[in-house]
Amino acid sequence: MVETQYRFRDDEPVTDPAVTVDSFGDQTNAASVRIEPGDDARELLPFLDRLRLVEVNFPSFGDGRGYSSARLLREAGYEGELRAVGAVFVDQLSHLRRCGFDSFAPNAPLDPQDAENAFNRWPDVYQATGDGRPAIWSKRHG
Amino acid sequence: MYKYDSYDQEMVDVRVEEFRDQTRRRLDGTLAEENFRPLRLQNGLYLQLHAYMLRVAVPYGTLSSAQMRMLGDIADKYDRGYGHFTTRQNIQYNWIKLEEAPDILADLATVEMHAIQTSGNCIRNISSDQYAGAAADELIDPRPYAELLRQWSSFHPEFLHLPRKFKIAVIASKTDRAAMRLHDIGIEIVKNDAGEIGCAFYVGGGMGRTPMIAPLINPFVPLDQLITYSEACLRVYNRYGRRDNKYKARIKILVHEMGKDEYTRQVEEEFAHLLTQGIEPPIAELERIIPHFADPAFDAATSDDLDLSDPDFKLWVDNNTVAHKAKGYVIATVSLKPVGGIPGDASADQIRLMADLARDYSFDELRVTHAQNIVFPHVKKADLYTVWQKLDAAGLSTANLDTIGDIIACPGLDYCSLANARSIPVAQKIAERFKAQDRLDTIGELKLKISGCINACGHHHAGHIGILGVDRKGVENYQLSLGGSEGADTSLGTITGPGFSEDGVVDAVEKATNLYLAQRQEGERFLDTYRRIGMAPFKEAIYG
């Protein structure tokens, strides 16, 4: 079990083991799910009301499918924990945050100072991604 | 020209600090090369055969004189006194030290430049028509839309780790000068029957080992939905694009395998959803950007006459200038293809000279073309002779634009770690063979393009004559193709037959042009004759 190194939530962490996307629909008592690369996050949309933890597995630094999965869930109104697990490195942190991830369980622990810098890297952002940060264009035009 | 505001400046400044930090972690060993690689690539830094190569972005190919001067100064300060202009309107330096790369980015940031996303599996620099804002035939200036896309695509958190690189071009002229349909997304700004401006989206074009011409997937996306539609196109690609095989990972393969109709259906579905998400900048943002690209203060009283009594000057005017939308002005192109030179290379002194000429004679503006040349977009006819004399004195007056001497070539095996064969010596030998000016003029427009491997950075698929270098049992071998085009009549070349040695391919090109001269009808370019008579007679002439 990989440790969650960063968590930006105040609620109690969910301790249930995550089930696969395939089986989540049938396991009506499950509250946590793990999205593997290639899974379609849209299959979870009918079950958002009982979903409390979504883990998204990043198999490698360069596999960016998880970013889209995260945004899709947030856009659909999912408010539970969204955890990036696997090949999670310092230089992805701010982008993962922007896509809606609010907890991080990297395979190898991140250097605290480097991670701190990375989370706070960008004072402004060019895009609206649903993370609540105003895009630069919105600041320009009030 | 677009001027940064404090937000834009902050973004490039933060990027410099981020990259400085990443480089520090790489050099102290905290960051493994495996994970540093995608990060340095997103800053345009490649590890080549001999050194690092840095590719600097020139958004939509537009530069101010101060920016151009900085490019010359960087060539002197950090490289070996020259730079190489690329087929995506950028510039690259081939002899860079990793530890100096952050300082180069810092220098670039002082003139509102950067190397953001000039490589890597992300949205690359947005390219456009090199004559934008000056051409007589454009609907409107496409660059404000390219700038809007530049900001949207810079550090887009969802699309920094796509299956493969992603290139977007924006044009607003039926005469396509940007090879728009050979891009992952090609956007043509169009006017509909109601007189409204919008965007036609072509998706899934590209060169590489499987060249494809992008199909039209939406003929009219309203301007206030441009970003949302682009985001939908990218999201469907990020979801389904192949990651198991990098040679099948470009969006062209997805659109081809999924089918244009199914891809389009999914994009439209995603688009309908994203329209509810409030991700589109307001029209006010476009209205803020557009005045940055307003016409310069053209002199309405300037003379429309041009004294062509100097025959060398006349030759250059005939070959290297085109009509401007304003009376008394021309668009002048500086060919970076002198005989014996390396296509697209310019020395630091030449770069600075072009900067000075742009400041004094072209309203402070230059353009980089995808054919690896430099454009002065707004030159008074009254100043043109002076400009030409100064170029001539610097070895920059080669009068061969769009002729067989104006060759596009990738760096090839002389620099590139991906290449199978050298490109530059082949380009040099062809230029040498055809160097007689009357010969260039007789043959007329002939776009010859050379790639040193199947990745096709030299655009050989789109050459009227294309040459592809391959490795055959350890020996460089060159395949010849005919009939490609990148213009409004985009087509892909067809291979003539068995390949050639380096000298053999030069002979084959000569045989092909001889046949064209013998067969052409009044007013036909090489491409037109080829399209009329077909491959068979060329094959006969080349191999017979």
Side-chain angles (χ1 to χ4, degrees):
Chain A
M1 179 70 192
V2 177
E3 289 293 313
T4 298
Q5 192 179 357
Y6 293 95
R7 191 168 186 274
F8 296 84
R9 301 181 64 89
D10 298 329
D11 56 354
E12 272 301 301
V14 179
T15 50
D16 307 6
V19 303
T20 64
V21 172
D22 278 350
S23 56
F24 189 79
D26 295 333
Q27 294 193 34
T28 52
N29 61 346
S32 67
V33 68
R34 180 180 171 102
I35 297 179
E36 295 293 343
D39 285 344
D40 191 340
R42 292 174 299 183
E43 289 177 24
L44 297 172
L45 298 187
F47 313 112
L48 291 187
D49 52 346
R50 66 176 162 92
L51 196 51
R52 293 181 53 218
L53 168 66
V54 177
E55 291 183 350
V56 178
N57 180 28
F58 286 83
S60 67
F61 189 106
D63 191 326
R65 284 175 284 192
Y67 296 86
S68 286
S69 299
R71 275 195 71 194
L72 204 130
L73 288 167
R74 291 298 189 210
E75 286 165 4
Y78 173 64
E79 290 178 352
E81 183 169 343
L82 192 49
R83 181 184 297 165
V85 304
V88 173
F89 298 94
V90 162
D91 296 282
Q92 295 154 297
L93 293 176
S94 69
H95 305 303
L96 291 166
R97 279 291 273 156
R98 296 226 57 221
C99 288
F101 286 99
D102 55 9
S103 73
F104 301 87
N107 281 340
L110 307 177
D111 178 87
Q113 187 57 55
D114 288 342
E116 181 74 14
N117 292 346
F119 279 124
N120 298 311
R121 176 71 66 191
W122 299 96
D124 286 295
V125 293
Y126 271 130
Q127 311 81 7
T129 59
D131 64 342
R133 300 186 66 182
I136 286 172
W137 49 256
S138 111
K139 291 188 165 187
R140 280 174 178 147
H141 301 283
Chain B
M1 267 198 64
Y2 186 72
K3 292 290 295 173
Y4 282 7
D5 68 0
S6 58
Y7 292 112
D8 298 311
Q9 188 64 48
E10 174 191 82
M11 294 303 277
V12 296
D13 290 343
V14 170
R15 176 59 140 197
V16 172
E17 288 321 305
E18 181 187 49
F19 189 65
R20 198 180 287 288
D21 184 48
Q22 290 165 347
T23 305
R24 171 190 63 78
R25 284 184 280 130
R26 174 72 195 108
L27 291 171
D28 75 16
T30 320
L31 186 55
E33 170 59 19
E34 179 195 355
N35 290 340
F36 180 59
R37 189 171 170 277
L39 300 172
R40 64 171 164 77
L41 289 177
Q42 287 181 8
N43 279 289
L45 200 63
Y46 282 77
L47 189 54
Q48 293 285 47
L49 285 177
H50 312 293
Y52 281 95
M53 179 273 274
L54 178 70
R55 182 182 295 146
V56 175
V58 181
Y60 32 90
T62 296
L63 287 164
S64 70
S65 63
Q67 292 174 328
M68 187 72 161
R69 189 167 302 106
M70 177 60 81
L71 296 180
D73 291 347
I74 286 172
D76 267 342
K77 192 169 163 191
Y78 301 102
D79 202 278
R80 297 185 175 178
Y82 60 91
H84 178 75
F85 290 94
T86 78
T87 55
R88 292 209 75 252
Q89 302 179 290
N90 295 319
I91 183 170
Q92 55 198 44
Y93 300 100
N94 283 313
W95 303 96
I96 296 301
K97 296 185 185 75
L98 174 60
E99 43 292 13
E100 290 183 343
D103 295 333
I104 305 178
L105 298 185
D107 285 358
L108 288 168
T110 65
V111 291
E112 305 181 4
M113 293 188 80
H114 57 75
I116 296 161
Q117 292 165 221
T118 52
S119 178
N121 294 333
C122 49
I123 304 172
R124 303 287 189 88
N125 184 39
I126 315 286
S127 60
S128 187
D129 184 342
Q130 71 263 19
Y131 297 160
D137 64 357
E138 74 183 5
L139 179 64
I140 48 170
D141 191 330
R143 292 174 300 167
Y145 312 95
E147 173 58 26
L148 191 74
L149 287 161
R150 181 190 76 83
Q151 295 187 26
W152 161 76
S153 60
S154 296
F155 323 112
H156 195 301
E158 187 178 343
F159 304 130
L160 288 170
H161 300 284
L162 295 169
R164 199 76 179 85
K165 59 188 171 181
F166 204 93
K167 302 175 180 180
I168 301 178
V170 187
I171 63 168
S173 157
K174 287 287 165 207
T175 312
D176 177 7
R177 285 174 285 261
M180 179 271 288
R181 292 186 70 188
L182 295 170
H183 283 75
D184 296 284
I185 293 181
I187 295 173
E188 183 186 352
I189 310 291
V190 294
K191 195 180 256 186
N192 68 8
D193 294 340
E196 298 155 339
I197 301 287
C199 306
F201 268 71
Y202 294 83
V203 180
M207 297 204 222
R209 65 177 67 195
T210 319
M212 296 208 185
I213 298 170
L216 179 66
I217 71 155
N218 191 321
F220 193 86
V221 175
L223 280 186
D224 60 355
Q225 298 175 348
L226 165 61
I227 295 302
T228 309
Y229 201 84
S230 302
E231 192 140 329
C233 291
L234 262 300
R235 184 175 284 183
V236 173
Y237 170 55
N238 195 36
R239 180 182 300 146
Y240 294 118
R242 288 180 62 169
R243 292 173 190 267
D244 59 326
N245 180 343
K246 76 179 230 184
Y247 300 114
K248 296 190 172 176
R250 295 286 291 271
I251 194 174
K252 63 191 173 186
I253 304 292
L254 175 69
V255 173
H256 182 72
E257 288 185 350
M258 182 183 257
K260 181 199 103 170
D261 293 342
E262 174 59 15
Y263 174 77
T264 306
R265 187 191 68 73
Q266 297 227 18
V267 168
E268 294 292 333
E269 188 179 300
E270 196 65 49
F271 177 53
H273 159 70
L274 284 171
L275 280 175
T276 67
Q277 295 296 314
I279 62 170
E280 187 79 29
I283 278 292
E285 176 62 0
L286 253 182
E287 288 166 350
R288 182 189 72 85
I289 294 171
I290 286 171
H292 286 270
F293 296 94
D295 281 347
F298 294 125
D299 175 2
T302 189
S303 167
D304 203 31
D305 297 332
L306 197 53
D307 178 356
L308 295 171
S309 53
D310 180 332
D312 291 335
F313 175 57
K314 179 178 186 305
L315 191 68
W316 182 79
V317 170
D318 289 345
N319 276 306
N320 288 37
T321 67
V322 298
H324 195 282
K325 67 181 182 185
K327 185 174 122 336
Y329 288 82
V330 294
I331 303 170
T333 299
V334 180
S335 167
L336 298 183
K337 318 290 176 66
V339 175
I342 294 174
D345 269 19
S347 71
D349 287 339
Q350 288 176 326
I351 292 171
R352 283 186 290 256
L353 174 82
M354 291 187 277
D356 291 345
L357 290 175
R359 179 196 60 206
D360 297 341
Y361 301 107
S362 186
F363 292 98
D364 211 43
E365 235 187 275
L366 307 103
R367 311 289 173 77
V368 183
T369 82
H370 85 272
Q372 305 177 279
N373 294 315
I374 299 295
V375 172
F376 297 128
H378 315 291
V379 184
K380 260 186 194 174
K381 287 184 180 174
D383 293 331
L384 196 58
Y385 192 64
T386 308
V387 170
W388 173 77
Q389 284 180 308
K390 291 184 178 190
L391 288 171
D392 194 42
L396 288 169
S397 66
T398 310
N400 64 359
L401 190 68
D402 291 340
T403 70
I404 195 169
D406 183 12
I407 296 167
I408 292 182
C410 70
L413 198 51
D414 290 299
Y415 295 97
C416 180
S417 53
L418 303 175
N420 299 118
R422 291 169 301 157
S423 307
I424 293 166
V426 178
Q428 289 170 329
K429 283 186 178 176
I430 292 171
E432 180 67 31
R433 180 76 62 92
F434 289 90
K435 71 179 174 187
Q437 188 73 46
D438 58 339
R439 203 165 179 202
L440 287 185
D441 295 341
T442 306
I443 295 171
E445 182 185 311
L446 202 170
K447 298 188 179 180
L448 193 144
K449 304 175 197 284
I450 307 172
S451 305
C453 80
I454 51 178
N455 290 314
C457 298
H459 296 188
H460 66 277
H461 300 297
H464 300 175
I465 295 178
I467 295 174
L468 167 64
V470 295
D471 178 303
R472 215 181 59 181
K473 296 175 188 145
V475 180
E476 289 164 292
N477 190 266
Y478 295 90
Q479 285 180 354
L480 189 68
S481 60
L482 303 176
S485 172
E486 64 201 345
D489 58 348
T490 303
S491 59
L492 301 171
T494 304
I495 295 172
T496 55
F500 304 90
S501 67
E502 186 176 304
D503 288 322
V505 80
V506 181
D507 293 337
V509 167
E510 187 166 33
K511 287 173 185 167
T513 56
N514 286 344
L515 180 80
Y516 153 67
L517 292 175
Q519 295 281 328
R520 72 172 167 189
Q521 294 177 353
E522 183 69 28
E524 271 185 348
R525 303 169 300 163
F526 178 90
L527 180 65
D528 303 322
T529 302
Y530 170 81
R531 284 177 174 169
R532 179 173 55 79
I533 68 177
M535 178 62 90
F538 282 95
K539 238 177 163 158
E540 172 75 25
I542 293 167
Y543 297 100

